[in-house]
Amino acid sequence: MVKFLWGALTALSALSVAVVAQDTYTPGNFSYNRHEFLLNGKPYQIIGGQMDPQRIPPEFWVHRLKMARAMGLNTIFSYLYWNMHEPRSGEWDFQGRNDVAAFFRLAQQEGLKVVLRPGPYICGERDWGGFPAWLSQVPGMAVRQNNGPFLDAAKAYIDRLGKELGKLQITQGGPILMTQLENEYGSFGKDKKYLAAMAAMLRDNFDVCLYTNDGGGKSYLEGGQFHGVLAVIDGDSQSGFAARDKYVTDPTSLGPQLNGEYYITWIDQWGSDYAHQQISGSQTGIAKAVGDLDWTLAGNYSFSIYMFHGGTNFGFENGGIRDDGPLAAVTTSYDYGAPLDESGRPTDVYFKLREMISKYVPAGSIPEVPATPKRATVPEFELKPAAALFDLQDKATRQADDPISMDALGQAYGYVLYEHTVTKDVQGLVAIGDGARDRAIVYVNGVRTGVVDTIYKTPSSVKVALKKGDTLRILVENLGRVDVRQRLKEQVKGIVGNVSVGGSVLRNWATYSMPLSELPSDLHRQHTIKKNDGPVFYTGTFDLPKGASSDPSGDTFLSVPEGVKGVLWVNGVNLGRYWKVGPQQSLYVPGSILKPKNDVVLLELEPQPGVQLSAEGISERKWFNSPDPDAP
């Protein structure tokens, strides 16, 4: 019966959009006075949670929304990712995970309202806070300012969102109640002309209420508040609400209190000393979260849980964090210790919050929790070395005196390989531009010599002795553009500047673009792993587990116990990065992508001779850390 229910949900997610499109909804209105939100003239307390459709397989949208209603939520808050909607200037994508209009129609079908958080800057631990990488190459660009090139690019984005989502506003019978102006702008600046320009763009496309969302501090609230727009806080409700009423003195920005981001826990980042963030299993942690939100509802205030369901940073979609220190690269998993975990299963936090929320809504109004099947297990299977990454490279993308940055190549994510043939003997420390962006592996004549990794405050130094005719290669990985830093030059990836050895600048570089947006076709080779070898693709297969199917009953977590660092694909879908340092030690595999026989491709950046790689699918993941073999 459970399998049938889940199969039905999967089918619904594919069919519901067409069904909803045929439904008619009565136009309504959403407003507020000083103390209450009003839905069609009646008090409406927002019991919300953050859930971003672009981090969730579309086949599972219906289920995730049903789980939100079953916890007692009445409103979904969603960021939209500009970099996924417009990956290249003027090229739009609103299909698959980017079909956000379909997600909002499904939310309405499930009895949920929506609060739209379109950015253009969203933070969200996404690459560059959701900005598309191509912005860094636009002449005269300065983001989040009253800057012509940025406002022109942002207007094209907001106008396109208006075409996609305008009909889904409450005023036209849709679920969208409010739209957020910018995001935590007071943490960045106080340019009111910029906020005015952004507000005008939103009002040209959306006729629902606007609001701002800022931290509960004086500078945050004063910088982010804008005349005529409701001011909302995030973080701690009690101190934040008091701060809002103290520091926001413009009466046109005052209204009911809403905590736009109540943090259940926090994000995960790669690092051998960074443990998984969660409160599940902690009576003290759960009691605090439940108590805080209970206090909020009892005071007739509103909230949105960040995150209710985090989802996954598939592929290379994660961002980084840096405050004048080392890069904190965010993990592939965006589990966030949320009430609904990365695979859509409820945690103990979920049930405790459901129990608390039930005190504030009419009896019987919260649906039963949908049946949840167990996750599948996949027996251990072998991964065989198939092809060396450097053997698959085509001719150089660019040839120049100095290395060409990733962004200048028109590339946003993945890797760039830099190659130099030595013209005279030279030795000493390798100096890479103004610092590796973000992780550089150095090779001499195909032998791995060292790693420069900016997740460390003081990255390792690499010393080489080069002879005339030697080949120096540097493979640079983008670990995620920083979401809170907005200076363009700091967001450019690859090598920026020149490369020197022992103080001597090396000229004449071949630069190879390796975005890995598609897998190489020639992976049917054999490769023998050598000591300190270059990156190698491995391949393997596994059968769909008995009793599982290509829906959530087939969900599993793939683990590569002997892998060091790399990327993993299943049936051509890039599931994301793995890295033995943890805390993430397995990758979420949605059952929706599985087939009776499944092809696995793994790119291992640091293959080890004599080590046989294998993978297995586990039903219950473990979070732990391991020493970094490349630590300084």
Side-chain angles (χ1 to χ4, degrees):
M1 181 62 177
V2 168
K3 183 176 176 181
F4 170 78
L5 286 173
W6 277 84
L9 286 175
T10 302
L12 270 175
S13 65
L15 299 175
S16 292
V17 175
V19 174
V20 173
Q22 297 173 9
D23 290 345
T24 57
Y25 293 94
T26 303
N29 62 80
F30 185 76
S31 60
Y32 56 86
N33 56 36
R34 182 61 178 85
H35 300 290
E36 291 181 312
F37 290 109
L38 301 170
L39 177 60
N40 298 323
K42 297 181 180 179
Y44 184 82
Q45 190 170 24
I46 295 175
I47 306 175
Q50 182 90 14
M51 183 162 56
D52 303 339
Q54 289 160 286
R55 277 190 172 115
I56 307 168
E59 296 85 353
F60 297 166
W61 283 350
V62 168
H63 169 257
R64 305 303 195 256
L65 292 164
K66 286 184 179 293
M67 294 299 291
R69 277 293 299 121
M71 200 181 84
L73 302 187
N74 59 21
T75 307
I76 294 298
F77 286 60
S78 292
Y79 279 142
L80 302 185
Y81 309 153
W82 182 6
N83 56 0
M84 291 182 67
H85 286 306
E86 194 182 9
R88 286 164 293 279
S89 180
E91 297 182 18
W92 301 99
D93 186 351
F94 285 87
Q95 303 298 315
R97 284 190 288 139
N98 295 323
D99 189 359
V100 292
F103 178 81
F104 296 147
R105 291 188 186 103
L106 293 172
Q108 185 170 25
Q109 178 177 281
E110 297 303 324
L112 291 159
K113 302 301 183 186
V114 170
V115 171
L116 185 63
R117 311 184 75 190
Y121 169 77
I122 56 124
C123 190
E125 291 71 60
R126 298 295 286 185
D127 188 271
W128 202 2
F131 286 152
W134 54 261
L135 287 180
S136 72
Q137 302 302 297
V138 176
M141 176 65 65
V143 301
R144 303 184 81 187
Q145 300 176 40
N146 189 35
N147 166 270
F150 180 71
L151 293 178
D152 289 345
K155 185 177 188 306
Y157 166 63
I158 296 297
D159 287 351
R160 183 57 189 257
L161 289 185
K163 292 179 181 178
E164 297 287 335
L165 303 175
K167 293 182 180 180
L168 295 177
Q169 300 177 90
I170 183 74
T171 52
Q172 299 188 44
I176 298 175
L177 302 178
M178 296 194 297
T179 299
Q180 184 175 310
L181 169 61
E182 241 275 356
N183 185 65
E184 296 180 323
Y185 187 70
S187 298
F188 172 78
K190 52 183 179 182
D191 185 344
K192 302 301 181 181
K193 289 184 178 179
Y194 165 68
L195 289 178
M198 291 305 309
M201 290 179 203
L202 290 170
R203 285 171 172 149
D204 284 344
N205 289 279
F206 300 97
D207 54 18
V208 294
C209 302
L210 299 183
Y211 76 100
T212 58
N213 195 112
D214 288 286
K218 185 176 187 292
S219 63
Y220 304 143
L221 288 162
E222 290 180 346
Q225 175 270 335
F226 186 70
H227 180 77
V229 176
L230 176 66
V232 164
I233 63 97
D234 59 30
D236 178 73
S237 294
Q238 296 190 41
S239 62
F241 291 163
R244 198 284 304 262
D245 284 349
K246 180 178 180 180
Y247 298 122
V248 176
T249 57
D250 183 340
T252 69
S253 293
L254 294 174
Q257 295 280 13
L258 165 63
N259 188 334
E261 294 184 10
Y262 175 80
Y263 306 116
I264 288 288
T265 46
W266 200 238
I267 58 170
D268 286 328
Q269 65 188 58
W270 295 112
S272 58
D273 59 351
Y274 194 91
H276 174 52
Q277 305 296 293
Q278 65 177 354
I279 61 171
S280 182
S282 166
Q283 293 185 359
T284 302
I286 295 174
K288 182 182 185 308
V290 172
D292 287 348
L293 295 176
D294 193 353
W295 176 90
T296 305
L297 292 181
N300 199 33
Y301 307 131
S302 295
F303 65 75
S304 174
I305 296 169
Y306 193 97
M307 300 287 296
F308 161 70
H309 172 57
T312 308
N313 293 313
F314 292 107
F316 303 118
E317 296 169 10
N318 68 282
I321 303 171
R322 173 182 279 145
D323 290 319
D324 298 318
L327 173 70
V330 177
T331 57
T332 296
S333 171
Y334 202 64
D335 181 88
Y336 216 94
L340 198 68
D341 75 10
E342 185 180 2
S343 71
R345 271 66 174 183
T347 66
D348 49 359
V349 185
Y350 178 100
F351 289 106
K352 289 294 185 181
L353 289 173
R354 184 176 190 268
E355 180 182 1
M356 182 275 293
I357 291 170
S358 68
K359 300 188 302 181
Y360 296 96
V361 298
S365 64
I366 299 179
E368 291 298 315
V369 179
T372 304
K374 293 182 179 179
R375 285 173 289 251
T377 60
V378 177
E380 184 178 8
F381 59 95
E382 186 178 4
L383 295 167
K384 298 180 179 180
L389 175 65
F390 297 161
D391 290 346
L392 300 176
Q393 67 193 35
D394 202 347
K395 64 180 182 179
T397 310
R398 295 274 293 275
Q399 193 89 28
D401 279 350
D402 291 323
I404 308 297
S405 73
M406 177 181 288
D407 301 67
L409 294 171
Q411 179 183 338
Y413 313 107
Y415 307 84
V416 179
L417 175 65
Y418 300 94
E419 185 176 273
H420 170 78
T421 300
V422 179
T423 57
K424 63 178 182 179
D425 293 1
V426 63
Q427 63 180 350
L429 293 177
V430 179
I432 302 173
D434 62 356
R437 305 277 183 91
D438 300 303
R439 188 175 191 268
I441 309 179
V442 179
Y443 305 87
V444 177
N445 298 328
V447 177
R448 186 172 69 251
T449 307
V451 177
V452 180
D453 195 336
T454 58
I455 71 167
Y456 296 101
K457 185 176 182 179
T458 304
S460 296
S461 297
V462 179
K463 192 173 184 178
V464 297
L466 303 175
K467 300 293 185 180
K468 183 178 178 180
D470 285 349
T471 299
L472 175 66
R473 286 182 174 133
I474 304 175
L475 182 69
V476 180
E477 177 182 5
N478 169 7
L479 289 176
R481 290 176 181 81
V482 176
D483 64 350
V484 296
R485 282 286 187 87
Q486 306 306 327
R487 292 188 289 271
L488 267 64
K489 67 178 182 179
E490 297 179 357
Q491 301 292 9
V492 176
K493 296 300 184 180
I495 294 179
V496 180
N498 55 42
V499 174
S500 63
V501 173
S504 298
V505 176
L506 304 183
R507 300 294 186 189
N508 193 13
W509 288 85
T511 301
Y512 299 84
S513 177
M514 295 181 171
L516 294 185
S517 51
E518 295 182 1
L519 281 169
S521 57
D522 189 10
L523 292 179
H524 305 290
R525 308 184 184 190
Q526 289 186 347
H527 181 83
T528 301
I529 305 299
K530 303 179 292 293
K531 184 178 180 181
N532 294 322
D533 211 348
V536 172
F537 285 101
Y538 291 70
T539 60
T541 61
F542 67 89
D543 294 332
L544 194 68
K546 184 178 180 181
S549 60
S550 56
D551 61 30
S553 64
D555 285 354
T556 191
F557 297 106
L558 272 186
S559 171
V560 186
E562 300 301 323
V564 177
K565 190 180 192 307
V567 189
L568 189 145
W569 291 259
V570 173
N571 297 328
V573 177
N574 187 338
L575 296 181
R577 314 173 202 261
Y578 66 89
W579 198 348
K580 74 175 298 177
V581 297
Q584 181 179 348
Q585 299 290 346
S586 56
L587 289 167
Y588 171 54
V589 184
S592 58
I593 70 170
L594 296 184
K595 304 173 182 178
K597 183 171 287 293
N598 300 276
D599 295 319
V600 176
V601 175
L602 176 144
L603 174 63
E604 171 57 57
L605 296 177
E606 300 183 32
Q608 309 296 314
V611 175
Q612 172 60 59
L613 291 188
S614 63
E616 63 176 333
I618 56 177
S619 60
E620 296 296 332
R621 78 188 324 170
K622 297 177 182 178
W623 302 87
F624 60 91
N625 299 87
S626 301
D628 183 355
D630 302 308

